[in-house]
Every structure is written in C-alpha cells, then in structure tokens.
Amino acid sequence: ILKYVVQINFDEEFKLVEKIGEGSFAKVYVAKKKTTGKIYAVKIIRKHDSNSMATLESVKQEKAALEEC
C-alpha cells in the first residue's frame, strides 16, 4: 500500500478501468494513472456515508489490517 489519500482532482490524474468490488459503503476499482500508466486499486467511499461513526471505524480497522501486510 503506497498511501491513503483524499484525492480532490482524481479524474484529472486517474482513469477508472473497471469495478472489482463493492461493499456496504464503498466501491473498489482498478485505476490507471494517466501520466505513468501505473495501475492502482482505488477504494471510493460514498461521501454521504463517510460521516457515520460505523463507517469511520470500519475504515480505520481496514487501514490497520492493511498496514500489517
């Protein structure tokens, strides 16, 4: 995992290639960086769901689990 980011200008820098997963509050896509062609997995959390405590706690737990990899 390279970094966790809130990307304001995402559409300018990346192209979504395909959806590879969907959960209760987010979708996961394969994305390609336009300038380098590098491929990333991108999780997009719906903004209206991101303020709930359950969503925030779930994201924190996922982040902690991924950092152990």
Side-chain angles (χ1 to χ4, degrees), residues 40-52:
Y40 294 88
V42 175
K43 177 176 269 188
I44 299 176
I45 300 171
R46 290 185 287 274
K47 187 173 183 175
H48 69 277
D49 291 337
S50 66
N51 291 329
S52 83

Side-chain angles (χ1 to χ4, degrees), residues 2 12-14 31-40:
L2 298 176
E12 294 173 17
E13 294 188 33
F14 292 90
K32 187 177 196 178
K33 188 157 187 173
K34 292 178 180 179
T35 56
T36 65
K38 190 169 182 178
I39 300 294
Y40 294 88

Side-chain angles (χ1 to χ4, degrees), residues 15-21 27-32 40-42:
K15 177 181 180 354
L16 294 179
V17 178
E18 70 177 297
K19 184 167 77 170
I20 57 174
K27 295 177 183 175
V28 180
Y29 293 89
V30 172
K32 187 177 196 178
Y40 294 88
V42 175

Side-chain angles (χ1 to χ4, degrees), residues 45-63:
I45 300 171
R46 290 185 287 274
K47 187 173 183 175
H48 69 277
D49 291 337
S50 66
N51 291 329
S52 83
M53 289 306 288
T55 299
L56 293 174
E57 191 57 37
S58 186
V59 169
K60 287 179 186 177
Q61 289 174 358
E62 183 176 355
K63 180 180 183 256

